[in-house]
PDB file of all heavy atoms in Angstrom:
ATOM      1  N   GLY A  68      -2.959   0.085  -0.453  1.00  0.00           N
ATOM      2  CA  GLY A  68      -2.168  -1.014  -0.993  1.00  0.00           C
ATOM      3  C   GLY A  68      -1.497  -1.863   0.065  1.00  0.00           C
ATOM      4  O   GLY A  68      -1.390  -3.087  -0.073  1.00  0.00           O
ATOM      5  N   ILE A  69      -1.055  -1.218   1.141  1.00  0.00           N
ATOM      6  CA  ILE A  69      -0.366  -1.971   2.195  1.00  0.00           C
ATOM      7  C   ILE A  69      -1.352  -2.853   2.956  1.00  0.00           C
ATOM      8  O   ILE A  69      -1.067  -4.022   3.248  1.00  0.00           O
ATOM      9  CB  ILE A  69       0.377  -1.014   3.144  1.00  0.00           C
ATOM     10  CG1 ILE A  69       1.497  -0.297   2.370  1.00  0.00           C
ATOM     11  CG2 ILE A  69       0.953  -1.769   4.335  1.00  0.00           C
ATOM     12  CD1 ILE A  69       2.224   0.760   3.168  1.00  0.00           C
ATOM     13  N   GLU A  70      -2.521  -2.310   3.265  1.00  0.00           N
ATOM     14  CA  GLU A  70      -3.534  -3.110   3.946  1.00  0.00           C
ATOM     15  C   GLU A  70      -4.007  -4.261   3.058  1.00  0.00           C
ATOM     16  O   GLU A  70      -4.225  -5.386   3.532  1.00  0.00           O
ATOM     17  CB  GLU A  70      -4.720  -2.231   4.361  1.00  0.00           C
ATOM     18  CG  GLU A  70      -4.391  -1.224   5.449  1.00  0.00           C
ATOM     19  CD  GLU A  70      -3.842  -1.877   6.702  1.00  0.00           C
ATOM     20  OE1 GLU A  70      -4.423  -2.890   7.133  1.00  0.00           O
ATOM     21  OE2 GLU A  70      -2.839  -1.390   7.250  1.00  0.00           O
ATOM     22  N   ALA A  71      -4.157  -3.981   1.769  1.00  0.00           N
ATOM     23  CA  ALA A  71      -4.542  -5.041   0.835  1.00  0.00           C
ATOM     24  C   ALA A  71      -3.462  -6.123   0.772  1.00  0.00           C
ATOM     25  O   ALA A  71      -3.763  -7.316   0.730  1.00  0.00           O
ATOM     26  CB  ALA A  71      -4.792  -4.459  -0.553  1.00  0.00           C
ATOM     27  N   ALA A  72      -2.197  -5.693   0.768  1.00  0.00           N
ATOM     28  CA  ALA A  72      -1.097  -6.663   0.744  1.00  0.00           C
ATOM     29  C   ALA A  72      -1.127  -7.559   1.975  1.00  0.00           C
ATOM     30  O   ALA A  72      -0.937  -8.781   1.885  1.00  0.00           O
ATOM     31  CB  ALA A  72       0.240  -5.924   0.658  1.00  0.00           C
ATOM     32  N   LYS A  73      -1.377  -6.959   3.143  1.00  0.00           N
ATOM     33  CA  LYS A  73      -1.462  -7.755   4.373  1.00  0.00           C
ATOM     34  C   LYS A  73      -2.566  -8.805   4.257  1.00  0.00           C
ATOM     35  O   LYS A  73      -2.376  -9.975   4.636  1.00  0.00           O
ATOM     36  CB  LYS A  73      -1.742  -6.847   5.569  1.00  0.00           C
ATOM     37  CG  LYS A  73      -0.589  -5.968   6.002  1.00  0.00           C
ATOM     38  CD  LYS A  73      -1.024  -5.121   7.193  1.00  0.00           C
ATOM     39  CE  LYS A  73       0.070  -4.178   7.658  1.00  0.00           C
ATOM     40  NZ  LYS A  73      -0.397  -3.320   8.774  1.00  0.00           N
ATOM     41  N   ALA A  74      -3.717  -8.371   3.757  1.00  0.00           N
ATOM     42  CA  ALA A  74      -4.848  -9.294   3.640  1.00  0.00           C
ATOM     43  C   ALA A  74      -4.541 -10.424   2.661  1.00  0.00           C
ATOM     44  O   ALA A  74      -4.858 -11.587   2.909  1.00  0.00           O
ATOM     45  CB  ALA A  74      -6.097  -8.532   3.196  1.00  0.00           C
ATOM     46  N   LEU A  76      -1.517 -11.559   1.755  1.00  0.00           N
ATOM     47  CA  LEU A  76      -0.441 -12.418   2.250  1.00  0.00           C
ATOM     48  C   LEU A  76      -0.841 -13.233   3.479  1.00  0.00           C
ATOM     49  O   LEU A  76      -0.137 -14.177   3.848  1.00  0.00           O
ATOM     50  CB  LEU A  76       0.794 -11.566   2.555  1.00  0.00           C
ATOM     51  CG  LEU A  76       1.453 -10.936   1.317  1.00  0.00           C
ATOM     52  CD1 LEU A  76       2.532  -9.946   1.732  1.00  0.00           C
ATOM     53  CD2 LEU A  76       2.038 -12.017   0.412  1.00  0.00           C
ATOM     54  N   SER A  77      -1.961 -12.880   4.086  1.00  0.00           N
ATOM     55  CA  SER A  77      -2.432 -13.664   5.232  1.00  0.00           C
ATOM     56  C   SER A  77      -3.004 -15.005   4.794  1.00  0.00           C
ATOM     57  O   SER A  77      -3.156 -15.918   5.615  1.00  0.00           O
ATOM     58  CB  SER A  77      -3.494 -12.880   6.013  1.00  0.00           C
ATOM     59  OG  SER A  77      -4.696 -12.772   5.270  1.00  0.00           O
ATOM     60  N   ILE A  83       4.352  -9.337  -4.159  1.00  0.00           N
ATOM     61  CA  ILE A  83       3.553  -8.123  -4.328  1.00  0.00           C
ATOM     62  C   ILE A  83       4.470  -6.928  -4.533  1.00  0.00           C
ATOM     63  O   ILE A  83       5.458  -6.753  -3.810  1.00  0.00           O
ATOM     64  CB  ILE A  83       2.646  -7.884  -3.110  1.00  0.00           C
ATOM     65  CG1 ILE A  83       1.629  -9.025  -2.973  1.00  0.00           C
ATOM     66  CG2 ILE A  83       1.922  -6.538  -3.217  1.00  0.00           C
ATOM     67  CD1 ILE A  83       0.750  -8.917  -1.737  1.00  0.00           C
ATOM     68  N   LEU A  95       7.469   3.141   3.118  1.00  0.00           N
ATOM     69  CA  LEU A  95       8.320   2.024   2.703  1.00  0.00           C
ATOM     70  C   LEU A  95       8.480   1.019   3.833  1.00  0.00           C
ATOM     71  O   LEU A  95       8.338  -0.189   3.622  1.00  0.00           O
ATOM     72  CB  LEU A  95       9.685   2.545   2.259  1.00  0.00           C
ATOM     73  CG  LEU A  95      10.787   1.490   2.091  1.00  0.00           C
ATOM     74  CD1 LEU A  95      10.417   0.496   1.004  1.00  0.00           C
ATOM     75  CD2 LEU A  95      12.126   2.155   1.791  1.00  0.00           C
ATOM     76  N   ARG A  96       8.754   1.498   5.027  1.00  0.00           N
ATOM     77  CA  ARG A  96       8.933   0.586   6.160  1.00  0.00           C
ATOM     78  C   ARG A  96       7.663  -0.213   6.428  1.00  0.00           C
ATOM     79  O   ARG A  96       7.713  -1.414   6.696  1.00  0.00           O
ATOM     80  CB  ARG A  96       9.360   1.369   7.408  1.00  0.00           C
ATOM     81  CG  ARG A  96      10.816   1.834   7.370  1.00  0.00           C
ATOM     82  CD  ARG A  96      11.294   2.206   8.758  1.00  0.00           C
ATOM     83  NE  ARG A  96      10.648   3.430   9.214  1.00  0.00           N
ATOM     84  CZ  ARG A  96      11.106   4.647   8.983  1.00  0.00           C
ATOM     85  NH1 ARG A  96      12.229   4.806   8.294  1.00  0.00           N
ATOM     86  NH2 ARG A  96      10.488   5.706   9.433  1.00  0.00           N
ATOM     87  N   ARG A  97       6.518   0.446   6.355  1.00  0.00           N
ATOM     88  CA  ARG A  97       5.247  -0.258   6.557  1.00  0.00           C
ATOM     89  C   ARG A  97       5.051  -1.331   5.493  1.00  0.00           C
ATOM     90  O   ARG A  97       4.592  -2.442   5.784  1.00  0.00           O
ATOM     91  CB  ARG A  97       4.086   0.726   6.514  1.00  0.00           C
ATOM     92  CG  ARG A  97       3.979   1.637   7.720  1.00  0.00           C
ATOM     93  CD  ARG A  97       2.849   2.650   7.529  1.00  0.00           C
ATOM     94  NE  ARG A  97       1.595   1.991   7.223  1.00  0.00           N
ATOM     95  CZ  ARG A  97       0.747   2.397   6.273  1.00  0.00           C
ATOM     96  NH1 ARG A  97       1.026   3.446   5.512  1.00  0.00           N
ATOM     97  NH2 ARG A  97      -0.373   1.745   6.072  1.00  0.00           N
ATOM     98  N   ALA A  98       5.401  -1.003   4.261  1.00  0.00           N
ATOM     99  CA  ALA A  98       5.231  -1.956   3.165  1.00  0.00           C
ATOM    100  C   ALA A  98       6.122  -3.176   3.365  1.00  0.00           C
ATOM    101  O   ALA A  98       5.687  -4.322   3.180  1.00  0.00           O
ATOM    102  CB  ALA A  98       5.532  -1.280   1.828  1.00  0.00           C
ATOM    103  N   LEU A  99       7.379  -2.947   3.733  1.00  0.00           N
ATOM    104  CA  LEU A  99       8.302  -4.062   3.938  1.00  0.00           C
ATOM    105  C   LEU A  99       7.867  -4.921   5.118  1.00  0.00           C
ATOM    106  O   LEU A  99       7.973  -6.149   5.076  1.00  0.00           O
ATOM    107  CB  LEU A  99       9.720  -3.533   4.148  1.00  0.00           C
ATOM    108  CG  LEU A  99      10.350  -2.812   2.946  1.00  0.00           C
ATOM    109  CD1 LEU A  99      11.744  -2.300   3.297  1.00  0.00           C
ATOM    110  CD2 LEU A  99      10.403  -3.717   1.734  1.00  0.00           C
ATOM    111  N   GLN A 100       7.370  -4.283   6.176  1.00  0.00           N
ATOM    112  CA  GLN A 100       6.883  -5.040   7.333  1.00  0.00           C
ATOM    113  C   GLN A 100       5.676  -5.896   6.962  1.00  0.00           C
ATOM    114  O   GLN A 100       5.463  -6.970   7.531  1.00  0.00           O
ATOM    115  CB  GLN A 100       6.524  -4.080   8.469  1.00  0.00           C
ATOM    116  CG  GLN A 100       7.737  -3.436   9.122  1.00  0.00           C
ATOM    117  CD  GLN A 100       7.363  -2.283  10.043  1.00  0.00           C
ATOM    118  OE1 GLN A 100       6.177  -1.917  10.181  1.00  0.00           O
ATOM    119  NE2 GLN A 100       8.352  -1.677  10.678  1.00  0.00           N
ATOM    120  N   ALA A 101       4.899  -5.434   5.975  1.00  0.00           N
ATOM    121  CA  ALA A 101       3.722  -6.188   5.534  1.00  0.00           C
ATOM    122  C   ALA A 101       4.100  -7.383   4.666  1.00  0.00           C
ATOM    123  O   ALA A 101       3.265  -8.265   4.434  1.00  0.00           O
ATOM    124  CB  ALA A 101       2.774  -5.270   4.765  1.00  0.00           C
ATOM    125  N   GLY A 102       5.334  -7.401   4.155  1.00  0.00           N
ATOM    126  CA  GLY A 102       5.764  -8.511   3.325  1.00  0.00           C
ATOM    127  C   GLY A 102       5.836  -8.194   1.846  1.00  0.00           C
ATOM    128  O   GLY A 102       6.049  -9.094   1.019  1.00  0.00           O
ATOM    129  N   VAL A 103       5.680  -6.915   1.495  1.00  0.00           N
ATOM    130  CA  VAL A 103       5.770  -6.504   0.095  1.00  0.00           C
ATOM    131  C   VAL A 103       7.203  -6.707  -0.398  1.00  0.00           C
ATOM    132  O   VAL A 103       8.170  -6.442   0.323  1.00  0.00           O
ATOM    133  CB  VAL A 103       5.353  -5.017  -0.042  1.00  0.00           C
ATOM    134  CG1 VAL A 103       5.699  -4.468  -1.409  1.00  0.00           C
ATOM    135  CG2 VAL A 103       3.860  -4.877   0.230  1.00  0.00           C
ATOM    136  N   ARG A 104       7.346  -7.148  -1.656  1.00  0.00           N
ATOM    137  CA  ARG A 104       8.680  -7.452  -2.185  1.00  0.00           C
ATOM    138  C   ARG A 104       9.212  -6.372  -3.138  1.00  0.00           C
ATOM    139  O   ARG A 104      10.374  -6.397  -3.507  1.00  0.00           O
ATOM    140  CB  ARG A 104       8.661  -8.802  -2.904  1.00  0.00           C
ATOM    141  CG  ARG A 104       8.302  -9.959  -2.002  1.00  0.00           C
ATOM    142  CD  ARG A 104       8.499 -11.292  -2.702  1.00  0.00           C
ATOM    143  NE  ARG A 104       9.892 -11.528  -3.015  1.00  0.00           N
ATOM    144  CZ  ARG A 104      10.785 -12.063  -2.176  1.00  0.00           C
ATOM    145  NH1 ARG A 104      10.412 -12.394  -0.954  1.00  0.00           N
ATOM    146  NH2 ARG A 104      12.025 -12.250  -2.542  1.00  0.00           N
TER     147      ARG A 104
END
Side-chain angles (χ1 to χ4, degrees):
I69 295 175
E70 292 303 315
K73 288 180 182 177
L76 293 171
S77 70
I83 297 176
L95 167 62
R96 286 197 290 272
R97 288 176 54 224
L99 295 178
Q100 289 168 358
V103 168
R104 298 189 65 85

